[in-house]
Amino acid sequence: RKNYRSAFINGVRYFNSPYNEYGHLTGATSLSEFTYFLAQLPAEYLYKNIGRKLDILILGAGSMYSVKRVSPYSRETTIVEIDPVIIESSKLFCDDFNRLDELRNYEIIIDDAKHFLKNTTMRYDLIIMDISAPYYLGTALMHNVDTYKIVRSRLKEGGIFSESTQA
């Protein structure tokens, strides 16, 4: 649509962002609501209850708006994304709302999320699974008992795992 920016994954529209004639974002989007509940709310909750900055892991980059959402509560955020094109697209097309240029407390790792989880020794206060719904084999392989057991082993005591099943 004219004056909208949209993101599609496998032909499914994940969000629409309205823009004015100058190309500026003009309001809240389904993406801002989604990332609030998926990322910001659990990060803010943990930050208030633990009383310190958090170690956060985000599996899947998408628009990378979740990075901005958790940044105020994060000591360091690690983003694991299998596809470097997603990272470059996010930086190019979503910068006006993810504002990565303003953030310093994150790192990006190009790897398969399950491979990363199995091979890291790091433990996290918050793990966010920000990947698309399990409609396709690649993402379906992340939604199973094996993955959840690995995730649990990478959480610190009292940590939270946040995931949207997009049902």
Side-chain angles (χ1 to χ4, degrees):
R1 290 173 55 185
K2 184 177 180 183
N3 298 329
Y4 275 78
R5 186 176 307 155
S6 301
F8 291 83
I9 300 175
N10 295 321
V12 176
R13 186 177 68 198
Y14 275 78
F15 72 92
N16 249 358
S17 299
Y19 285 80
N20 63 23
E21 65 272 17
Y22 305 106
H24 299 111
L25 185 66
T26 59
T29 67
S30 58
L31 178 65
S32 60
E33 293 172 3
F34 174 78
T35 57
Y36 171 76
F37 288 104
L38 180 70
Q40 184 176 335
L41 186 64
E44 187 175 354
Y45 171 81
L46 280 171
Y47 176 77
K48 287 179 180 176
N49 283 292
I50 294 174
R52 62 167 170 75
K53 296 274 185 157
L54 309 171
D55 293 312
I56 299 174
L57 173 63
I58 301 176
L59 305 172
S63 67
M64 295 186 53
Y65 194 44
S66 293
V67 178
K68 180 181 180 182
R69 289 291 201 170
V70 301
S71 183
Y73 314 104
S74 171
R75 185 185 69 77
E76 173 141 320
T77 299
T78 302
I79 303 104
V80 177
E81 172 59 52
I82 196 168
D83 187 349
V85 173
I86 297 295
I87 301 294
E88 295 310 312
S89 297
S90 298
K91 289 179 178 179
L92 181 63
F93 296 112
C94 302
D95 186 59
D96 47 350
F97 59 86
N98 66 26
R99 306 302 308 171
L100 297 176
D101 57 322
E102 298 173 358
L103 308 177
R104 302 286 176 257
N105 57 341
Y106 73 94
E107 69 170 330
I108 299 168
I109 296 173
I110 304 299
D111 196 358
D112 174 80
K114 199 176 241 183
H115 178 264
F116 176 83
L117 286 166
K118 286 180 178 178
N119 290 286
T120 187
T121 58
M122 182 72 180
R123 295 184 67 204
Y124 299 91
D125 299 296
L126 174 60
I127 299 176
I128 299 166
M129 187 150 57
D130 193 2
I131 64 171
S132 57
Y135 304 134
Y136 301 94
L137 182 58
T139 54
L141 293 173
M142 288 295 295
H143 295 85
N144 58 52
V145 173
D146 183 47
T147 300
Y148 298 128
K149 285 180 179 179
I150 298 165
V151 166
R152 184 177 183 154
S153 74
R154 297 296 170 244
L155 282 171
K156 292 180 182 179
E157 179 85 22
I160 292 177
F161 173 59
S162 179
E163 172 193 26
S164 168
T165 57
Q166 303 172 15

